[in-house]
Amino acid sequence: MAKSCPISTSFIIISVLIHFTSSTGLRPWPDVLPYELQSLDIASQLRVDPNATRMASRDFGKLVHPPNPAAVLYPSSIEDIASLVKFSYNRSSPFSIAARGQGHSLRGQAMAPHGVVVEMRSLNNDSRGSRIRVTKNPISGSYADAGGEQLWIDVLQATLKHGLAPVSWTDYLYLTIGGTLSNAGISGQTFRHGPQISNVYEMDVLTGKGELVTCSKDTNSELFFAVLGGLGQFGIITRARIALEPASKRVKWIQMLYDDFSTFSRDQEDLISINGLDFLEGSLFMQNSPPNNWRSSFSPSEYPRISSLISKNGIIYCLEVVKYYDELTSHTVNEELQELLKGLNFLPGFVFTKDVSLVDFLNRVHSGELNLRAKGLWDVPHPWLNLFVPKSRISDFNSGVFRDILPKINQTTGPFLVYPMIRNKWDDRTSAVIPDEDIFYTVGLLHSSGADDWEPLENQNKEILQFCDKAGIKIKRYLSRYTTKEDWKNHFGPKWRTFEDRKAQFDPKMILSPGQQIFNSI
Ligand code: FAD
């Protein structure tokens, strides 16, 4: 005969059962999340199953593996996100919340270990229609109002229907508005228009208190500037009003090779100081970063010629410029380009010209992505290092890093980018951090590796940072993540106090974007 349980044991069993099930059906409920969350309207959009939580703890970097979030919210409206944030904010021990765009971060920045990840892309299924609205106004300026979850490629497609396009880009367009505006958003247009964060008129932001606030340079400006480049620390961007210009139809795209860094960088700096070009970037080719890398656009028939240059010189520098044009300017564009490029000192015979549509140019990296995906080489670790280097030390950086440290690794890694930007195109009131010189270079070491061989590349990144430190090269890191408050303070320098004050004002309970590890340790 079965013994009956004593009352106290039954009570414990029932409590445990309640703890692990929800009122909406039997589902395990994580210990770390308050139980009452299940009685909110959003309960059915919260997933706690391992399929959802595992997905939300992956990112493009594939370098860090913190604990999974306790739950993932798939919002169908801004109100859904607001209820989640308010709920957490009103608790005596709030849980953390991270907005996740595409998860294209490198080191867990969009993760929320033991907290809740909000899959922003889920807003894209809004039954009320597209979350990109274009306003054409040639007099006061055209703009697109786009949800923070929208991809730049979709903004491009939507705006082109009106003959318009954003002015400032990233190289790769399958990134979200909220994700790039939380960093800066840079590419070859930055020297001319500033980063994407310099080209936003207005935003709707859901703060860490759960308040939805419209902000701009003139209204709630403290929040506006905090959020731009703010690493997700002050609020969730639910809408951004993005500056547009009339879209040209086509582009002339020119690449020129150099074997000497000072000639290459002098030409780059001269070109960004004059008007006329729409885009300027630069890259390096060497044995471990050959010209047929996934971002390269040379015709394969050119590889042997370029490779023999690399064998001869060790490193080759490639200056890349673009001029947009359309029907009205098609008969003058070549002449204008000739004028702009005359006097440059690239290697004779090593100039490559293409004529493509604006969309093909702006979306140029996507075909490289598709190729890598087809070969199973996209979903691999990415120990990228992105730096801003002051112009006064870029030549030392070339000798110490490009010429000395980078060639030491004997494995094919990825594209290396180097091109200049102008400080006064960045608004110092934003949270973004750049070097304290009028011109600085962005350096992108976009390594890919196999599942097991990323460590040498990580060690090399450390060596580069140590080299800069010892040589007194005052770099600033971009898209990076520090793990101690001391390092973050150094990173922000004189901006740290403002950053901290803004956190206290807009997310006082330190709920948002814990994966950046600025105010939360993981
Ligand atoms: P996520 O990685 O999902 O999020 C990034 C951070 O922003 C997290 O802290 C997250 O919590 C927060 N966040 C996300 N959405 C919001 C929101 N709506 N409101 C507030 N905070 C939010 N960057 C450039 O500047 N230029 C480039 O050319 C460039 N090229 C890239 C190419 C590739 C292939 C990849 C993978 C990345 C590239 N990046 C580039 C980096 C990119 O800007 C960052 O990865 C950025 O984080 C955007 O990615 P995401 O939209 O997936 O954001």
Side-chain angles (χ1 to χ4, degrees):
M1 200 177 115
K3 275 193 200 159
S4 59
C5 292
I7 300 220
S8 59
T9 316
S10 313
F11 177 75
I12 291 169
I13 292 172
I14 289 166
S15 307
V16 167
L17 271 176
I18 289 174
H19 197 71
F20 280 92
T21 57
S22 86
S23 54
T24 53
L26 289 176
R27 62 173 175 169
W29 189 252
D31 285 348
V32 285
L33 277 190
Y35 206 16
E36 299 85 328
L37 195 49
Q38 298 182 84
S39 54
L40 297 191
D41 285 349
I42 52 170
S44 61
Q45 283 139 276
L46 272 174
R47 279 179 60 183
V48 296
D49 56 282
N51 284 344
T53 57
R54 261 201 306 265
M55 278 302 292
S57 59
R58 288 187 190 160
D59 65 15
F60 182 77
K62 279 201 170 330
L63 299 167
V64 296
H65 305 284
N68 291 352
V72 182
L73 177 73
Y74 295 85
S76 51
S77 68
I78 309 302
E79 294 75 36
D80 292 345
I81 313 175
S83 345
L84 179 78
V85 177
K86 269 187 209 141
F87 179 85
S88 177
Y89 178 69
N90 287 328
R91 296 198 61 85
S92 53
S93 17
F95 50 87
S96 59
I97 297 173
R100 182 177 193 273
Q102 289 278 79
H104 276 325
S105 292
L106 299 167
R107 287 164 202 275
Q109 288 96 326
M111 297 181 195
H114 305 304
V116 180
V117 166
V118 179
E119 278 292 355
M120 296 297 289
R121 293 286 297 147
S122 160
L123 289 173
N124 201 30
N125 308 326
D126 195 328
S127 54
R128 287 167 285 192
S130 164
R131 289 195 12 98
I132 305 174
R133 276 193 328 275
V134 177
T135 303
K136 194 167 183 173
N137 190 333
I139 296 161
S140 60
S142 301
Y143 54 81
D145 283 301
E149 76 291 351
Q150 294 296 314
L151 301 182
W152 284 96
I153 181 71
D154 295 329
V155 176
L156 175 62
Q157 302 294 1
T159 53
L160 281 178
K161 287 185 192 146
H162 301 262
L164 299 165
V167 299
S168 184
W169 291 98
T170 46
D171 290 352
Y172 173 67
L173 307 186
Y174 292 76
L175 303 167
T176 64
I177 306 276
T180 71
L181 295 185
S182 296
N183 287 294
I186 56 169
S187 182
Q189 294 86 357
T190 305
F191 83 89
R192 181 164 172 190
H193 296 287
Q196 290 178 325
I197 53 170
S198 295
N199 293 282
V200 177
Y201 296 137
E202 185 182 278
M203 286 183 289
D204 287 339
V205 173
L206 183 65
T207 68
K209 298 177 182 173
E211 295 164 347
L212 190 62
V213 180
T214 300
C215 56
S216 69
K217 280 185 181 139
D218 305 313
T219 309
N220 297 312
S221 57
E222 193 65 23
L223 180 62
F224 181 74
F225 291 120
V227 166
L228 295 171
L231 307 174
Q233 295 305 301
F234 310 104
I236 299 179
I237 302 165
T238 58
R239 173 186 65 96
R241 179 166 288 181
I242 294 154
L244 303 178
E245 65 181 0
S248 299
K249 294 240 161 37
R250 298 195 65 82
V251 316
K252 296 275 180 191
W253 179 6
I254 302 182
Q255 289 169 291
M256 296 156 273
L257 301 188
Y258 292 73
D259 58 6
D260 174 62
F261 185 75
S262 60
T263 318
F264 162 76
S265 56
R266 199 171 43 242
D267 279 357
Q268 283 192 319
E269 287 169 25
D270 284 350
L271 287 173
I272 63 165
S273 71
I274 53 171
N275 276 333
L277 289 174
D278 293 294
F279 173 99
L280 180 142
E281 285 198 0
S283 49
L284 317 178
F285 300 122
M286 54 180 81
Q287 294 301 348
N288 55 17
S289 180
N292 61 348
N293 69 59
W294 61 277
R295 291 173 48 116
S296 159
S297 53
F298 291 107
S299 139
S301 63
E302 303 292 354
Y303 295 156
R305 231 159 55 95
I306 302 174
S307 297
S308 74
L309 259 190
I310 297 172
S311 308
K312 202 165 111 207
N313 295 287
I315 299 189
I316 290 296
Y317 307 94
C318 175
L319 171 50
E320 189 170 11
V321 298
V322 162
K323 184 146 186 68
Y324 301 164
Y325 75 98
D326 49 31
E327 291 90 350
L328 278 179
T329 47
S330 61
H331 59 289
T332 52
V333 63
N334 286 333
E335 227 173 280
E336 274 180 68
L337 261 172
Q338 251 174 25
E339 189 58 28
L340 286 166
L341 304 183
K342 84 171 180 223
L344 297 186
N345 291 299
F346 53 87
L347 293 168
F350 286 96
V351 54
F352 308 89
T353 306
K354 280 187 169 184
D355 188 324
V356 299
S357 72
L358 179 73
V359 179
D360 285 349
F361 171 68
L362 292 175
N363 200 19
R364 63 199 175 282
V365 177
H366 189 49
S367 55
E369 173 190 359
L370 295 178
N371 274 334
L372 288 186
R373 279 192 190 278
K375 295 182 198 152
L377 295 175
W378 182 255
D379 221 0
V380 296
H382 293 102
W384 287 11
L385 183 65
N386 293 277
L387 304 173
F388 295 140
V389 183
K391 168 191 153 171
S392 64
R393 303 302 304 276
I394 193 68
S395 158
D396 300 324
F397 192 91
N398 172 58
S399 344
V401 177
F402 296 157
R403 287 220 158 256
D404 189 25
I405 300 180
L406 284 184
K408 283 188 210 155
I409 288 250
N410 209 1
Q411 76 194 68
T412 304
T413 63
F416 300 148
L417 308 179
V418 54
Y419 56 92
M421 301 182 171
I422 304 175
R423 189 182 163 87
N424 71 15
K425 300 282 178 186
W426 295 61
D427 192 325
D428 202 34
R429 292 169 292 179
T430 66
S431 296
V433 176
I434 54 176
D436 200 10
E437 276 189 22
D438 291 346
I439 292 180
F440 61 92
Y441 279 75
T442 181
V443 171
L445 308 177
L446 310 185
H447 301 296
S448 301
S449 73
D452 303 321
D453 55 5
W454 53 270
E455 254 169 286
L457 294 165
E458 279 286 79
N459 291 336
Q460 187 182 65
N461 290 341
K462 283 185 198 140
E463 191 184 343
I464 292 170
L465 295 170
Q466 278 160 7
F467 163 80
C468 291
D469 197 32
K470 270 201 199 130
I473 304 178
K474 293 196 170 23
I475 50 114
K476 288 291 174 192
R477 283 157 75 171
Y478 179 55
L479 306 175
S480 226
R481 190 208 52 177
Y482 295 95
T483 47
T484 69
K485 193 169 259 184
E486 215 38 50
D487 284 340
W488 277 116
K489 276 189 190 172
N490 283 336
H491 170 76
F492 283 103
K495 280 189 164 184
W496 172 251
R497 178 58 82 74
T498 310
F499 199 82
E500 239 186 351
D501 289 350
R502 286 169 168 176
K503 185 72 173 175
Q505 193 178 347
F506 301 117
D507 181 21
K509 293 202 174 172
M510 299 183 183
I511 289 171
L512 299 174
S513 286
Q516 300 277 4
Q517 294 196 44
I518 305 175
F519 298 101
N520 322 57
S521 53
I522 282 175

